[in-house]
Amino acid sequence: MELTDLTVDAIRAGLVAREFSAEELVRATLERIDREDKSIRAYLTLSPERALAKALEIDRRVAAREELPPLAGVPAAVKDVLSTQGLRTTCASRILEHYIPPYDATTVERLEAAGASILGKTNCDEFAMGSSTENSGFFPTHNPRDLSRVPGGSSGGSAAAVASSLAAVALGSDTGGSIRQPASLTGVVGVMGTYGRVSRDGLVAFASSLDHVGPFGRTVVDVARVLGVIAGRDPLDWTSADVPVPDYLAELDQDVRGLKVGVPDEYFAGLSAEIGDNIQKGLDLFARLGLKIERIRMPHTEYAIACYYIICTAEASSNLARYDGVRYGFRETGAEELREMYRKTRDHGFGAEVKRRIMLGTYVLSSGYYEAYYRKAQNVRTLIARDLLEAFDEVDVIVTPTSPIPAFKLGERMDDPLQMYLADIYTVTASLAGVPGISVPCGLTRCPARLPVGMQIIAKHFDEARLLRVAHAFEKAGGFEIS
Ligand code: GLN
């Protein structure tokens, strides 16, 4: 096994046994990025000095036989929507092309305090709006499993980096599926915690009532470790919850026998056999592990996409009003007066999808339409959340496909935004309800050949421990390699 393929636990063990140093590991990963990222394009900006400085600090601690922090020496990537002090943060948008934040996001700070080396910032859809990373204002990222295909989105760079060992773990953001969906399309693990579980401080806002920060990793243990590090109350984010964070690792191996798995009928209607067969095999495995499979109903599922796209565009139109050419990054020159400067800056700085969302969001919030769209969507959001909460009266976790389709070809869906929005059909429900979700690999497709399929597991509010436990049991029983 190569140094760059190691899990977090193997890295810790290797450092303690002095098989390699943190510096060697970071250098090996940077070399790999240098070789491989020309074709994958996961990174927008690299931060080798910052990564090496951290690695040297860890090596000093190893030499002094100090207790090592939980992510000691771990090479990590960070989605470019998270602020990093002194390190360019673009949100993959031209409007922030040269923006250098004055502070670190809380999650970035916690990652580094836990010993991780931040290698750089990863590509994504502009302001996290999209499902393929093709909406990046700079270039698309390619799926390491098949370079002609998308890695999913919007956190496609982070997912691709982990899938191709250009980082051991990565942070992404998930508003309607942007961690779970790319995890599924690239064959890695991605978790979105409960809304409020992880601080949003320093996360550039897209839709504030839906935005989450969460980890990618190649194993459930790895994401459990990272989630444990970044979770917990943060006085800098007033929506972060004051709920104790359990020791996720300690609970991973607890028994799963007898747990009830809900399978919503609505999520399987019309699903392609290619995805459906793999998920069914995953459910069979759960049954063999002693979990009870029960069919459940989620009657408001059909409204989830419409509801999500009304709420997220409304919030985005308000959040993105701040990019006016005065306060951040890019300003278009040659304007004669202020309004013209605003207009030109926003016209040249934002890409097509961001403009589409600002227009949609402004429309659904405008007087006369507010009641018809925005207010109604808020009501439907409550009904969708109720569907889930009622289901959790009956079952412990809910299992669904993560995405209705495997990785599609680059360019294939770019002219059809509605088709692109439909890729989120299975992920937006948990986002709207604020409950946690994870995507784990669940085998490969046969046609098109050998593309990863992801299984989504959802749990109730603040029940990430059970979510991770079920995912870990699935992984240990060989569920990732089902076929
Ligand atoms: N694909 C969804 C969207 O385009 C979700 C994005 C996200 O979770 N950031 O809005």
Side-chain angles (χ1 to χ4, degrees), residues 121-152:
K121 308 295 293 289
T122 53
N123 198 16
C124 55
D125 288 299
E126 186 176 2
F127 285 101
M129 298 175 188
S131 311
S132 69
T133 312
E134 292 166 293
N135 293 334
S136 166
F138 302 110
F139 45 77
T141 296
H142 298 249
N143 190 323
R145 314 274 169 185
D146 175 345
L147 293 176
S148 69
R149 294 178 188 268
V150 303

Side-chain angles (χ1 to χ4, degrees), residues 79 128-131 153-154 173-178 206 308-309 312 357 424:
K79 183 178 182 181
M129 298 175 188
S131 311
S154 64
S173 71
D174 193 315
T175 303
S178 281
F206 158 16
Y308 168 79
Y309 275 94
C312 83
R357 300 215 185 185
D424 307 326

